[in-house]
Amino acid sequence: MTVGADAHPGTRTTEASREAGRRRTFAVISHPDAGKSTMTEALALHARVITEAGAVHGKAGRRGVVSDWMDMEKARGISITSAALQFTYQDTVVNLLDTPGHADFSEDTYRVLAAVDAAVMLLDAAKGLEPQTLKLFEVCRYRQIPIITFVNKWDRPGREALELTDELADRLGLHPMPLTWPVGIAGEFAGVLDRRSGDYIRYTRTAGGATAAAEEHLDADAAFAEKGETWTTTVEESELLSAAGHDYDNEAFLAGKATPVLFGSAVLNFGVKQLLDLLLELAPPPTSRPDVKGEPRPLDSPFSGFVFKVQAGMDTAHRDRLAFLRVCSGVFERGMVVTHASTGRPFATKYAQAVFGRDRSTIDRAFPGDVVGLVNASSLRVGDTLYADEPVEYPAIPSFAPEHFAVVRSADAGRYKQFRRGIEQLEQEGVVQVLRSDLRGEQAPVLAVVGPMQFEVAEHRMGSEFSAPVRMERLDYQLARAIDPVDVPQLVGESRVEVLVRTDGEHLALFTDKWRLASIQRSHPDLVLRPLLASDE
Ligand code: G4P
């Protein structure tokens, strides 16, 4: 007999934690070109979401599923938008959240990372840690997200395995715990030693990597018979790693202090299965999320979730506004009317969708760890909480320290209303931060961003989406610090510094450079200037 969930509310609640237990929600972080899109394809391929590599990536020459939602994006060949890919692998539901590939959008990535339980850090075997990897790693560290490291492109000549793992320790302070160790040098990639079982995992190339690569597990004797001295060297290196304390430690991984490391090749599908297996085995499932007061909301509480991304105009076929929500507790059922915590108003979820690039499908039910796309979510902002029955509010997602500033004005005085609406919307989506001051006036707000490409997005969208063309004038500031309103008078009359108020009420002092900041601090020793989050100073 099928028991209706409505008739037995109790059966729903346990369902939430049971379903949460079989979910893994993660993102891949990497420097552009390290192979994130290829890896996403390869993961989906193993889970049989797609039957042929190429269905995920939006770059030229491949079948585009990840949306190229703006002309600008297409022209540059980069993916600005985030999407969520869901697939089932060995009875586990895997939610892979996409992150923008360009450093200028690291604030977007940061928001996505607020919604995951683990991250895969992808490194290019020839390049190791690159600037964007470092920046994103800092965000993971700040949020204490457990990280699995995948050294990609091992099929090509690259650096030594030991050198790469040492770099993790030396530059990130992240203790490496290799779970596989390559047999042979980068470029001569035939397989890995599975350090936990002692087996040799042998890979066989398939044409173009288009189908999941064949892999066989050989015991040590068979491995020696096949690889001879190369195998002996691999085993010796692995023993040295063990002696130096590089064996797996689950607690250190979950605390974000140590990282399991795998070697592979996304394009050949080598090591991708190990990565998926590892995500299932080691990555934490969703757990009860602390609310704004720090009290965890149990998974079995009524539905709740928070918005980590708001996006408009993702696709010309669907010109609407979409809010991506991560479910944190309870069961989401399409059509339920929930409460928007910041306004106390009801929010109807009739149009809930799973969104992956241009593909949209209706979601009927979702569980902790899942991502729901809410259509026409004009009242929702990044960080907002939605809940059913028992009120809860999750902590706001902090903004990054902006590093670029520009005054924006309507290019057409007759379209001031559209101008205001457009700026307000871009701010709500988190495309830009908006700062104002009495001195500059309401008609000339200052846009503040982490990466200058955000200005281009804002300018483009103001013209094309809101029919409110703008003029932007870059300002000469590079640094922002938070300042208490009572301290603001201390800066009156100082040159090369300006105080503006962000829409959330935070007062920001902008400085032309770090020397100016230092000199202001010297001349006003009592002035408290608080650094903002996670800029890479
Ligand atoms: P991204 O999303 O991180 O920016 O990287 P993407 O997957 O687009 O990969 C960047 C380039 O690296 C691509 O080559 C891709 O084929 C290649 N690549 C990814 N993984 C591997 C790997 O394991 N081994 C090798 N040898 N190459 C890899 P491209 O020439 O820029 O594009 P394409 O024409 O091959 O698609």
Side-chain angles (χ1 to χ4, degrees):
M1 190 182 77
T2 318
V3 179
D6 285 331
H8 295 265
T11 59
R12 273 191 205 186
T13 49
T14 45
E15 189 184 8
S17 53
R18 196 178 64 238
E19 288 291 332
R22 56 184 282 265
R23 274 166 167 73
R24 299 291 182 275
T25 301
F26 75 104
V28 178
I29 58 167
S30 65
H31 192 83
D33 264 358
K36 183 157 63 74
S37 315
T38 312
M39 175 56 87
T40 305
E41 273 175 18
L43 288 170
L45 188 68
H46 275 274
R48 303 271 185 268
V49 175
I50 49 177
T51 49
E52 176 198 342
V56 174
H57 204 294
K59 282 187 184 170
R62 302 188 190 178
R63 210 147 30 98
V65 174
V66 170
S67 80
D68 285 339
W69 64 289
M70 280 174 47
D71 301 343
M72 190 187 113
E73 195 178 359
K74 270 189 198 145
R76 289 176 182 272
I78 56 165
S79 175
I80 298 171
T81 47
S82 294
L85 171 66
Q86 186 182 68
F87 55 85
T88 304
Y89 178 71
Q90 292 178 358
D91 202 40
T92 299
V93 178
V94 179
N95 292 303
L96 169 52
L97 276 54
D98 192 18
T99 52
H102 196 284
D104 278 11
F105 300 98
S106 48
E107 196 169 17
D108 278 343
T109 303
Y110 178 75
R111 297 183 189 121
V112 174
L113 292 177
V116 300
D117 302 312
V120 170
M121 179 163 72
L122 201 65
L123 305 181
D124 182 325
K127 297 182 178 151
L129 294 170
E130 296 178 82
Q132 175 77 344
T133 342
L134 292 169
K135 199 160 178 166
L136 293 171
F137 168 76
E138 284 308 326
V139 176
C140 289
R141 190 200 307 264
Y142 179 82
R143 304 201 72 93
Q144 295 181 324
I145 298 173
I147 298 175
I148 296 175
T149 303
F150 188 94
V151 178
N152 191 30
K153 306 196 185 184
W154 199 260
D155 57 300
R156 283 212 307 223
R159 291 162 54 184
E160 295 212 358
L162 265 177
E163 196 189 323
L164 287 160
T165 49
D166 281 351
E167 195 182 16
L168 295 174
D170 297 345
R171 290 182 66 192
L172 302 181
L174 189 61
H175 186 64
M177 308 181 290
L179 295 183
T180 61
W181 198 247
V183 179
I185 57 167
E188 291 171 10
F189 195 26
V192 290
L193 161 68
D194 177 343
R195 293 192 60 233
R196 292 185 295 176
S197 70
D199 282 354
Y200 172 41
I201 304 175
R202 184 173 65 186
Y203 302 125
T204 312
R205 288 177 192 241
T206 52
T211 47
E215 65 172 58
E216 290 154 280
H217 289 240
L218 277 65
D219 66 19
D221 291 342
F224 180 72
E226 186 173 309
K227 304 301 288 184
E229 278 308 304
T230 311
W231 174 255
T232 311
T233 309
T234 310
V235 172
E236 279 169 9
E237 283 179 356
S238 175
E239 283 165 0
L240 286 175
L241 286 169
S242 298
H246 292 283
D247 288 344
Y248 185 67
D249 173 348
N250 199 46
E251 225 170 274
F253 165 59
L254 292 179
K257 294 187 174 132
T259 180
V261 182
L262 296 176
F263 292 81
S265 162
V267 84
L268 295 177
N269 279 300
F270 289 0
V272 177
K273 184 176 177 299
Q274 276 80 42
L275 177 60
L276 260 181
D277 290 343
L278 214 62
L279 276 163
L280 267 52
E281 183 194 339
L282 304 179
T287 50
S288 41
R289 198 173 188 91
D291 67 9
V292 77
K293 294 183 225 110
E295 280 170 32
R297 174 152 169 124
L299 291 169
D300 286 333
S301 316
F303 161 79
S304 69
F306 70 93
V307 174
F308 63 93
K309 174 114 196 115
V310 175
Q311 192 120 63
M314 278 181 71
D315 192 318
T316 40
H318 307 266
R319 273 251 171 252
D320 52 19
R321 186 162 165 187
L322 203 70
F324 293 93
L325 173 127
R326 165 171 164 140
V327 181
C328 298
S329 68
V331 181
F332 172 87
E333 291 182 7
R334 188 168 63 86
M336 73 199 301
V337 177
V338 297
T339 306
H340 181 200
S342 63
T343 61
R345 294 215 184 101
F347 183 90
T349 61
K350 194 167 159 200
Y351 299 109
Q353 294 185 330
V355 179
F356 183 58
R358 268 190 205 103
D359 269 3
R360 294 178 172 206
S361 52
T362 301
I363 278 191
D364 286 319
R365 307 185 82 212
F367 302 94
D370 290 345
V371 171
V372 177
L374 297 166
V375 181
N376 281 330
S378 52
S379 58
L380 299 183
R381 296 169 185 228
V382 169
D384 280 2
T385 302
L386 294 178
Y387 65 81
D389 304 334
E390 285 168 28
V392 63
E393 187 151 13
Y394 292 108
I397 303 178
S399 301
F400 265 30
E403 292 165 31
H404 303 270
F405 306 86
V407 181
V408 61
R409 291 185 179 82
S410 175
D412 177 347
R415 306 198 63 78
Y416 182 62
K417 233 170 77 188
Q418 288 85 343
F419 170 81
R420 268 184 57 163
R421 203 167 50 92
I423 295 291
E424 190 185 319
Q425 171 139 351
L426 293 180
E427 180 178 40
Q428 286 177 6
E429 282 179 37
V431 175
V432 289
Q433 297 176 33
V434 182
L435 318 178
R436 295 183 173 84
S437 69
D438 290 343
L439 213 61
R440 290 188 179 272
E442 201 34 50
Q443 312 223 343
V446 170
L447 304 187
V449 299
V450 179
M453 219 187 271
Q454 289 173 266
F455 286 142
E456 288 181 49
V457 172
E459 191 170 356
H460 177 92
R461 289 187 54 191
M462 286 299 286
S464 66
E465 210 175 307
F466 302 100
S467 307
V470 294
R471 277 184 286 120
M472 307 248 271
E473 182 198 329
R474 292 288 287 272
L475 296 174
D476 201 18
Y477 301 118
Q478 290 175 10
L479 277 179
R481 289 286 185 274
I483 178 172
D484 270 350
V486 289
D487 289 335
V488 173
Q490 293 197 51
L491 294 179
V492 171
E494 293 282 4
S495 65
R496 294 190 290 135
V497 53
E498 179 175 349
V499 178
L500 292 130
V501 185
R502 200 163 60 187
T503 309
D504 64 1
E506 186 84 85
H507 287 59
L508 300 188
L510 313 187
F511 300 87
T512 43
D513 50 50
K514 60 182 180 202
W515 298 281
R516 183 62 187 136
L517 169 64
S519 81
I520 291 273
Q521 273 175 330
R522 273 196 305 276
S523 53
H524 302 276
D526 296 335
L527 182 64
V528 179
L529 295 166
R530 282 172 288 122
L532 297 151
L533 179 69
S535 69
D536 56 352
E537 291 151 35

